[in-house]
Amino acid sequence: MTSLLQNCKNALYIVIFVLMLSACSDTDTNPPDGDETLIPIPFREVTLQDDFWLPRLKVQKQTLIPFALDKTRPAVENLKKTADYLKGIQGELPFPHRFIASDLYKVMEGAAYLLTLEKDTALERQMDEIIDVIADAQQEDGYHYESHITGVSKNAEHWGGGGMGDKPYSWVVHSHELYDMGHMYEGAVAYYQATGKDKWLNVATKNANHIFHVFFEGDPEYNDGKPVNQAPGHEEIELALVKLYRITGDSLYLNLAKRFIDIRGVTYKPEGEGVMAPEYAQQHLPVREQTKAVGHSVRAVYLYSGMADVSAQTGDTSLRPALDSIWHNIVDTRMHITGGLGAIHGIEGFGPEYLLPNKDAYNETCAAVGNVFFNHRMFLMGKDGKYMDVAEIALFNNVLAGVNLEGNKFFYVNPLEADGKTPFNHGRAGRSPWFGTACCPSNLARLIPQVPGLIYAHTSDEIYCSFYAGSTVEIPLKKGKIKVTQKTNYPFDEKIEFRIHPEQNKSEFTMRLRIPTWTGTQFVPGKLYQYNNNAPDRWEIRINGKKLNAPVKNGYISLRRKWDTNDKLELYLPMPVRYSRAIDEVEADRGRVTITRGPLVYCAEAVDNDFPVHSVYLDDMTSTGSIHHSGKDLFAGIDFIRIPAKTAGINENTPDKEASLTLIPYYAWDNRGDSAMIVWIPKSKLLLSEPFLSIPNPDSK
Ligand code: FUB
Ligand code: ZN
């Protein structure tokens, strides 16, 4: 009875408190949702002023892009030889390759984004020279593919009947002709946006017109005049065609994207195993009947991104149930805690549900890049923060791990555990300066400059802020432009301060701010991972110093009011050290925990610890740990974590010892030489694996 009375009293206090809060505020924290489409604010309209992304953009400009342009010179050479061949100039022919040009196009896309941000005459000249070559390597009818134009495909020794077939569009399942063109369209659109020059864009549209004609109308020069009517084995062109449509306004390109999506798994199904399995390139079923993420994971996420684009652009809602179901299947059963996708090396793809190995994870950098693309598109369609939660985790953890802090060494494969000796990254036990197949570095070249484009989206009178980074932007609402500045040291800083400057004072509109899943009971959406410990504090929001109690709906808090110039919004997202466990179905993580802080997954790397990191176990998960801002040089600004742990003795005669385990953000590992690393740390010494126990720590401090 007493406790009943007490409960009633408590409830009354809460009601009074909430009423008081709303009475003292002129902010409506529960405005209705509009049904207008969300418009993203492109990266070029957001000025970064932060210590996390801006330095990365500088690395991109000073190192990654020049380095990658140099590494992709063989692709330019191949195109030159093709151009010479078309001009009738006798000479060396290109070497056969299915998609080397696509890597160049992606690097050029990244370079174009840099040109959008800052004029650079030398870079622009270099791009123009390459674009001349690309244009010259196009056949009169629009076809573009070095190996078939010059006939070198006939001599190619690849698996699968030549890997690209012996003539155009004769082996669409593996040739990558359409994949290459997709990347070319994306590069051409980016360059047109950056410079207004349309030479490359004209190459792209000419090629897209040709593809429409050959694939869906028929051309006597191809496939005996019959329409090819087959979807590409490697998706990519679908989402690129939507970009081409958006920039040209020509609906042919949108129709073409939709047709490729509609015929997937309908007009052609490979019959075989491995890379010829129907699931490998998501051709096992018509896309609307697909419910699970299967096969090659880069192909998959590019397909899902294209489906989301087509659905958003055409209003075809019939694609959405499949997208929802696939999204759930990924986050509930097939995603590593870093946002990485891909468990199986042989197919570079998804394994069975819950197969999420650590040492043997594939987690291709491109798949994580695609995971960001897919989730950003799902957010724009669904206005739900859960998608941006996944995009954020994939970006800060798996994507950023893909490149070293200097910008010139890369991971293709991103395991969650390594011994510092066994090769895992296409022949290396650590980062590589480049790869024969350079899809991953080139994807980093183009994704990083686009990151500011994840921050804001809007309708006519709502601003969604989904991503936190020090920046300034002007957002065009119906009632005028709203300047928004953000000050924060996110992802290490718990505070984000916004200043709002409407063009006209007392402008009424809604600000929506994402409250990340990681502030609650789990690190990332889905059923796979749960925190072991609770956060001592809850997130908070203040307007002009006044605390508000705003409900979270679809991952956002909503603040509707008449905004005045310099109104201050302070968001506090507490970032204690959290311990996560995986559900029991994930065998690789049984009895283990991962340490995270904010949106960052942490790992223990040999170089920071005086004992083998594989001899560590954590039998106490209550420690709040300590945060160290001691990083120097490349590590300046990166917070380390220290937590109490135990190290197991090397044999029964050596006792276990108390230890202080140093952890760094997973994205920063392997920047000080190749060393042992672990993300999922055992809770008991029984799980320590023998071979690892004996690994010495050569570089420990
Ligand atoms: O096939 C083109 C790219 O190369 C894929 O997306 C990557 O997985 C790699 O195989
Ligand atoms: Zn890749």
Side-chain angles (χ1 to χ4, degrees):
M1 187 64 178
T2 332
S3 74
L4 185 66
L5 268 178
Q6 192 56 45
N7 282 349
C8 288
K9 256 189 188 166
N10 287 348
L12 195 63
Y13 290 148
I14 290 169
V15 170
I16 291 171
F17 179 65
V18 170
L19 285 176
M20 270 166 56
L21 278 174
S22 36
C24 69
S25 142
D26 46 7
T27 305
D28 178 359
T29 56
N30 208 358
D33 295 332
D35 53 8
E36 281 178 60
T37 309
L38 267 185
I39 304 167
I41 298 283
F43 73 93
R44 59 182 172 275
E45 283 165 31
V46 182
T47 309
L48 283 177
Q49 288 133 343
D50 81 327
D51 291 332
F52 191 84
W53 292 105
L54 200 55
R56 275 194 163 66
L57 270 189
K58 289 195 181 131
V59 166
Q60 202 81 5
K61 167 112 194 182
Q62 283 158 9
T63 309
L64 204 156
I65 292 286
F67 178 80
L69 279 171
D70 189 49
K71 290 287 184 191
T72 45
R73 268 185 312 157
V76 181
E77 285 307 312
N78 256 13
L79 287 161
K80 251 192 209 138
K81 288 171 187 160
T82 308
D84 284 351
Y85 176 88
L86 284 173
K87 287 178 196 152
I89 302 171
Q90 300 282 320
E92 205 184 321
L93 293 177
F95 59 84
H97 199 291
R98 289 177 299 156
F99 50 83
I100 191 168
S102 68
D103 301 331
L104 169 71
Y105 301 147
K106 276 190 283 175
V107 175
M108 291 176 74
E109 184 189 338
Y113 295 146
L114 295 185
L115 287 176
T116 311
L117 297 173
E118 194 183 23
K119 184 120 188 102
D120 180 335
T121 334
L123 180 60
E124 194 170 325
R125 197 175 322 113
Q126 189 181 0
M127 293 278 282
D128 285 338
E129 281 167 17
I130 305 176
I131 289 165
D132 287 344
V133 176
I134 295 172
D136 287 350
Q138 181 168 40
Q139 267 184 196
E140 201 39 52
D141 65 355
Y143 184 68
H144 205 292
Y145 194 66
E146 315 88 282
S147 293
H148 283 327
I149 290 178
T150 59
V152 296
S153 50
K154 296 199 177 69
N155 314 321
E157 283 178 21
H158 286 290
W159 48 259
M164 48 190 124
D166 59 2
K167 54 181 189 237
Y169 309 128
S170 57
W171 194 233
V172 175
V173 62
H174 280 298
S175 68
H176 286 62
E177 285 153 293
L178 305 190
Y179 167 86
D180 277 7
M181 290 304 98
H183 283 306
M184 185 174 83
Y185 303 170
E186 288 200 84
V189 168
Y191 195 65
Y192 175 71
Q193 283 177 320
T195 61
K197 296 180 186 169
D198 62 4
K199 182 167 187 175
W200 196 9
L201 191 62
N202 291 337
V203 177
T205 50
K206 188 171 173 181
N207 176 266
N209 296 340
H210 150 86
I211 289 179
F212 185 86
H213 176 57
V214 174
F215 275 70
F216 296 107
E217 294 173 341
D219 183 303
E221 295 298 317
Y222 298 88
N223 197 35
D224 300 326
K226 291 192 293 282
V228 178
N229 201 22
Q230 185 181 334
H234 197 313
E235 302 90 330
E236 154 60 25
I237 198 169
E238 302 83 351
L239 71 87
L241 281 163
V242 177
K243 283 193 179 178
L244 208 53
Y245 161 69
R246 287 180 180 147
I247 199 96
T248 61
D250 188 338
S251 57
L252 182 105
Y253 308 129
L254 182 58
N255 290 340
L256 184 53
K258 183 165 175 336
R259 290 191 75 165
F260 277 134
I261 281 170
D262 289 347
I263 64 168
R264 180 158 223 97
V266 175
T267 56
Y268 170 83
K269 261 189 217 187
E271 283 167 15
E273 287 177 6
V275 299
M276 284 306 286
E279 288 83 7
Y280 174 71
Q282 300 76 41
Q283 313 202 65
H284 53 302
L285 285 169
V287 295
R288 289 172 184 76
E289 291 167 34
Q290 298 192 18
T291 54
K292 296 184 175 186
V294 294
H296 185 276
S297 45
V298 184
R299 289 167 204 242
V301 279
Y302 285 3
L303 167 66
Y304 310 148
S305 301
M307 285 164 66
D309 279 341
V310 166
S311 172
Q313 200 66 59
T314 62
D316 178 351
T317 51
S318 68
L319 288 162
R320 297 199 190 164
L323 287 170
D324 283 341
S325 162
I326 289 166
W327 184 84
H328 276 288
N329 183 253
I330 292 176
V331 298
D332 290 347
T333 72
R334 296 177 205 253
M335 188 170 79
H336 281 90
I337 195 160
T338 49
L341 309 177
I344 309 274
H345 283 235
I347 58 154
E348 302 187 294
F350 295 105
E353 294 179 343
Y354 309 112
L355 183 73
L356 294 163
N358 291 314
K359 286 196 288 292
D360 300 327
Y362 198 66
N363 285 347
E364 181 175 340
T365 302
C366 287
V369 168
N371 204 11
V372 175
F373 291 156
F374 172 42
N375 277 283
H376 187 222
R377 284 159 165 88
M378 290 296 278
F379 155 68
L380 292 173
M381 239 178 6
K383 296 184 180 170
D384 195 320
K386 67 187 182 192
Y387 302 117
M388 291 309 290
D389 290 343
V390 177
E392 175 178 58
I393 297 308
L395 178 66
F396 274 120
N397 298 293
N398 195 138
V399 170
L400 281 190
V403 55
N404 65 342
L405 299 167
E406 254 175 286
N408 55 12
K409 279 190 166 182
F410 305 91
F411 279 140
Y412 190 129
V413 175
N414 292 274
L416 279 73
E417 190 169 335
D419 64 10
K421 292 184 299 197
T422 312
F424 61 83
N425 187 32
H426 286 239
R428 299 228 179 193
R431 295 177 184 279
S432 169
W434 204 249
F435 305 96
T437 292
C439 49
C440 297
S442 51
N443 244 334
L444 290 159
R446 71 186 183 131
L447 172 64
I448 290 174
Q450 297 183 72
V451 166
L454 301 175
I455 303 178
Y456 293 104
H458 69 103
T459 62
S460 64
D461 84 337
E462 299 160 300
I463 296 176
Y464 281 73
C465 179
S466 303
F467 198 78
Y468 302 114
S471 56
T472 301
V473 68
E474 266 192 3
I475 301 174
L477 298 190
K478 204 162 80 197
K479 291 183 186 139
K481 287 194 189 123
I482 317 295
K483 181 172 158 196
V484 182
T485 62
Q486 266 192 62
K487 256 203 327 212
T488 178
N489 197 21
Y490 197 86
F492 296 109
D493 192 354
E494 306 178 307
K495 295 195 198 89
I496 303 126
E497 181 188 306
F498 295 85
R499 292 282 177 167
I500 316 288
H501 302 276
E503 216 166 33
Q504 289 159 19
N505 258 350
K506 302 261 171 275
S507 275
E508 184 167 357
F509 61 90
T510 306
M511 275 298 290
R512 299 197 201 271
L513 307 180
R514 182 172 64 94
I515 304 298
T517 288
W518 59 255
T519 59
T521 54
Q522 60 190 84
F523 181 63
V524 66
K527 296 185 181 152
L528 285 167
Y529 310 104
Q530 287 289 320
Y531 286 137
N532 254 355
N533 61 331
N534 291 325
D537 300 333
R538 193 175 173 264
W539 59 269
E540 278 177 25
I541 181 79
R542 287 171 198 271
I543 297 191
N544 297 329
K546 254 191 249 163
K547 191 167 156 185
L548 287 186
N549 192 12
V552 181
K553 200 168 154 210
N554 293 335
Y556 287 80
I557 49 166
S558 301
L559 309 166
R560 187 167 186 87
R561 64 188 258 122
K562 291 186 174 128
W563 298 88
D564 281 331
T565 229
N566 217 24
D567 270 349
K568 180 160 88 170
L569 259 181
E570 290 160 289
L571 179 63
Y572 167 66
L573 300 173
M575 296 184 176
V577 170
R578 311 287 299 259
Y579 301 82
S580 286
R581 62 176 186 280
I583 55 171
D584 202 46
E585 283 83 344
V586 184
E587 197 184 333
D589 301 338
R590 265 183 219 154
R592 292 169 184 265
V593 284
T594 282
I595 284 83
T596 64
R597 179 170 181 257
L600 300 177
V601 172
Y602 274 72
C603 67
E605 198 179 9
V607 62
D608 296 308
N609 292 287
D610 293 329
F611 41 83
V613 292
H614 286 91
S615 70
V616 170
Y617 63 101
L618 293 175
D619 57 358
D620 169 20
M621 269 142 299
T622 55
S623 165
T624 51
S626 54
I627 314 297
H628 297 262
H629 317 282
S630 55
K632 291 198 197 77
D633 306 323
L634 280 174
F635 279 73
I638 295 182
D639 286 357
F640 289 53
I641 291 177
R642 271 191 206 122
I643 51 170
K646 291 222 171 76
T647 56
I650 214 87
N651 55 42
E652 295 115 53
N653 304 326
T654 350
D656 296 358
K657 282 199 198 135
E658 302 289 334
S660 169
L661 182 67
T662 300
L663 301 126
I664 59 160
Y666 172 77
Y667 75 74
W669 88 278
D670 201 54
N671 271 278
R672 296 158 295 175
D674 302 341
S675 64
M677 179 279 293
I678 185 162
V679 169
W680 284 97
I681 302 173
K683 288 196 285 179
S684 136
K685 70 187 284 188
L686 297 175
L687 278 169
L688 295 173
S689 48
E690 255 322 304
F692 281 125
L693 270 177
S694 57
I695 296 167
N697 249 19
D699 301 321
S700 61
K701 59 184 169 42

